[in-house]
Amino acid sequence: MNAAIVPWYREVSPTQWKSFWAAWLGYLLDGFDFVIITLVLTEVADEFDLNGVQAATLISAAFVSRWFGGLVLGAIADTLGRRDAMVLAIVTFSLGSLLCAVSTGYVMMFAARLLIGFGMAGEYSASATYVIESWTQHLRNKASAFLISGFSIGGVLVAQVYRFVVPAWGWRALFAIGLVPIVLALWLRRGLPEPEDFRRAKDSGRVDATSDMFTTLYRGPHRILNVLLTLATFAILLAIFGGYVHGAAIITPMSIFITAVFVWFLVQFEPQRWPTAVAVTVVVFTVFFFAWPVTALLPTYLKTDLGLWPGEVSDILFWSGFGTAFGAILAGFTGDRFGTTRAYWGSLLISLPLLWPIFTLTSDHALLIGLLLFVQQCFGAGVGGLVPKCMVSWFSIEKRAAALGFTYNVGALGGAVSPVVGAQLAGRMPLGSALMTLSATFTGVVILLVALKFPLRLQRLIRLSAVRPEDGSDIVTRATSQAV
């Protein structure tokens, strides 16, 4: 039968669908847990008698460990296989959730959050790599975007579960409920085959001939220095995001040091193509920087500046989260129709003008704000579903999972920095104006970086000889025929 008349969903085999749903549940749990800690932080702080700084570190702990989780579990995915890394990531994640549910104090809770951040990073890199490599080449935009929708749906789900569970059974019950889909995800992941792309690379000897990221850094010639730098990076990230240090005079040199460490690690791992890896990290950082001010501070804006009731805020956040999930699904189709890069920056361009009415309308227009947020997040945050597909294309298969996991989770630090910058701007202007300015500015930066194919340009500028033919390719190739 001619492939032109075969619906796309019939081109995906039952095994490929099973692998997708197994990974999608893991992403849902990421979104579920990320929102849990923000919803129950006051209850946790009251029970454990925590001050503001200690409570904040329970959120920061996941950011402190994410980059290392992406490195380690990504390396496992590149050596033992994508499937084993997926299972290990979700086991680590579930152990962290279990420890949160039974925590007896601050130290145990902090350790649990470290585990969750570690597993969350590995879940992203291993699952995204697995699903994208498992699906047919011309359907990989859909695979990437549909997968990311799980995170948004998890956030929407937990916000609704919170209002029923916590008042009746307490905050621990919310973490316990999160363990249920973990069991289902583990059951789905059992017996999954490795993706065909990875199997071919393994059989050819390319995988075994390439040093993984963990081995390169911690068993190579610079292993002692790298261990010391890793410990220093953990300590500095904890100091910054835990609120133990303040002021640009201290934080700026710390940030420069951490940046230099991450670049140094990438230079060792990708001696020829480190400019590409650094550029990808910069792009991801700016993506988080434009997205997370709205995500993190929108509830505060709605409650303080607009004076909306908690129920109204919850309804608006529902529309925002649902818009992101719908946008991720839509991005799968637009990515396959127009190409990943064009679909990405074009969607962001549509979202830009919607920021102005969202942050200028008054509380009398709460319903309209919710509807506008649905559309804005659909084209702004939802198109982020194409990010894994964009990233995967820049890295060779034998280094793909670790490179994706490390660069993405280092770039994710932009999501921790941007709300702080937004709050500081709010000291000089209304919070709504600060959020609109920050989000619009960095959306424009991302559009330029993506449209100009910044990773390709930086690679050409620094090391032209290492450019690959497929770098920057935005063509979606479909087979001409397929038997069904």
Side-chain angles (χ1 to χ4, degrees):
M1 183 181 293
N2 193 304
I5 62 174
V6 176
W8 68 267
Y9 51 85
R10 289 187 179 177
E11 297 182 63
V12 184
S13 71
T15 299
Q16 290 169 335
W17 275 120
K18 181 180 178 182
S19 68
F20 169 81
W21 289 115
W24 187 86
L25 276 173
Y27 272 59
L28 182 144
L29 291 167
D30 279 359
F32 195 95
D33 179 77
F34 184 87
V35 178
I36 282 181
I37 193 64
T38 62
L39 291 173
V40 304
L41 193 60
T42 54
E43 289 89 344
V44 172
D46 289 342
E47 181 167 334
F48 294 154
D49 193 24
L50 306 180
N51 58 40
V53 171
Q54 288 176 314
T57 60
L58 294 180
I59 297 178
S60 304
F63 286 101
V64 171
S65 60
R66 275 184 66 162
W67 69 274
F68 193 66
L71 185 159
V72 173
L73 292 174
I76 291 174
D78 284 335
T79 52
L80 299 181
R82 314 320 196 192
R83 181 192 59 207
D84 290 344
M86 286 172 62
V87 171
L88 183 57
I90 205 165
V91 167
T92 305
F93 188 95
S94 62
L95 178 60
S97 295
L98 177 62
L99 289 175
C100 282
V102 300
S103 287
T104 57
Y106 169 74
V107 174
M108 187 174 178
M109 191 75 168
F110 185 83
R113 291 292 301 162
L114 286 175
L115 276 176
I116 285 176
F118 186 95
M120 183 184 295
E123 176 66 27
Y124 182 92
S125 59
S127 295
T129 305
Y130 183 92
V131 172
I132 292 172
E133 290 178 351
S134 295
W135 281 37
T136 308
Q137 184 76 32
H138 68 273
L139 294 177
R140 290 182 177 180
N141 283 300
K142 290 184 176 69
S144 173
F146 294 175
L147 184 62
I148 296 299
S149 71
F151 185 93
S152 302
I153 292 175
V156 170
L157 180 63
V158 70
Q160 301 306 311
V161 172
Y162 168 82
R163 65 169 65 184
F164 299 107
V165 171
V166 174
W169 294 293
W171 62 269
R172 296 177 187 274
L174 206 55
F175 285 103
I177 288 174
L179 293 172
V180 176
I182 288 176
V183 175
L184 178 59
L186 281 172
W187 179 79
L188 285 172
R189 291 178 183 189
R190 80 197 201 296
L192 287 176
E194 289 293 345
E196 184 178 346
D197 286 3
F198 182 78
R199 288 202 307 269
R200 284 199 303 262
K202 186 79 171 175
D203 293 341
S204 69
R206 289 165 53 195
V207 171
D208 296 332
T210 304
S211 295
D212 64 85
M213 194 169 190
F214 186 90
T215 300
T216 299
L217 296 181
Y218 302 112
R219 296 180 182 174
H222 305 293
R223 57 186 178 276
I224 296 177
L225 173 62
N226 290 336
V227 168
L228 294 176
L229 290 175
T230 298
L231 294 175
T233 299
F234 269 116
I236 293 172
L237 287 173
L238 179 59
I240 293 175
F241 294 119
Y244 295 104
V245 295
H246 303 278
I250 299 177
I251 294 178
T252 299
M254 284 183 166
S255 301
I256 293 173
F257 173 82
I258 291 174
T259 301
V261 170
F262 290 150
V263 172
W264 166 240
F265 285 174
L266 287 172
V267 169
Q268 294 175 75
F269 180 54
E270 287 276 30
Q272 300 299 316
R273 290 181 54 81
W274 66 265
T276 293
V278 169
V280 169
T281 306
V282 171
V283 173
V284 174
F285 185 89
T286 54
V287 167
F288 271 88
F289 217 100
F290 89 72
W292 282 99
V294 174
T295 302
L297 297 177
L298 179 63
T300 301
Y301 167 74
L302 296 174
K303 288 186 288 187
T304 58
D305 288 38
L306 296 190
L308 298 180
W309 295 100
E312 294 175 302
V313 173
S314 178
D315 290 339
I316 289 176
L317 294 180
F318 169 82
W319 283 109
S320 175
F322 186 59
T324 302
F326 180 80
I329 295 171
L330 178 64
F333 292 94
T334 58
D336 281 345
R337 175 65 179 83
F338 301 107
T340 311
T341 301
R342 286 188 291 272
Y344 190 88
W345 66 259
S347 183
L348 291 183
L349 202 59
I350 294 173
S351 75
L352 258 179
L354 295 172
L355 289 169
W356 184 81
I358 287 172
F359 290 106
T360 54
L361 288 170
T362 65
S363 58
D364 295 331
H365 304 92
L367 177 60
L368 181 56
I369 291 173
L371 294 176
L372 287 172
L373 267 171
F374 173 87
V375 180
Q376 196 278 329
Q377 291 294 91
C378 174
F379 289 101
V383 76
L386 295 178
V387 169
K389 170 61 167 56
C390 289
M391 295 180 68
V392 161
S393 65
W394 292 107
F395 303 114
S396 61
I397 190 168
E398 58 269 21
K399 293 187 175 184
R400 183 172 290 165
L404 188 150
F406 185 77
T407 56
Y408 179 85
N409 287 290
V410 170
L413 291 173
V417 175
S418 59
V420 177
V421 176
Q424 290 176 342
L425 282 178
R428 305 175 185 176
M429 62 180 74
L431 178 58
S433 299
L435 296 180
M436 179 176 60
T437 300
L438 196 61
S439 186
T441 299
F442 278 88
T443 298
V445 172
V446 172
I447 289 173
L448 288 175
L449 291 176
V450 173
L452 295 176
K453 298 182 179 178
F454 178 57
L456 176 60
R457 291 179 179 272
L458 190 63
Q459 183 67 53
R460 284 175 173 171
L461 179 65
I462 296 177
R463 190 149 295 174
L464 179 61
S465 60
V467 172
R468 301 182 307 167
E470 59 267 35
D471 284 344
S473 174
D474 199 32
I475 299 173
V476 179
T477 304
R478 184 185 177 104
T480 57
S481 63
Q482 179 173 326
V484 293

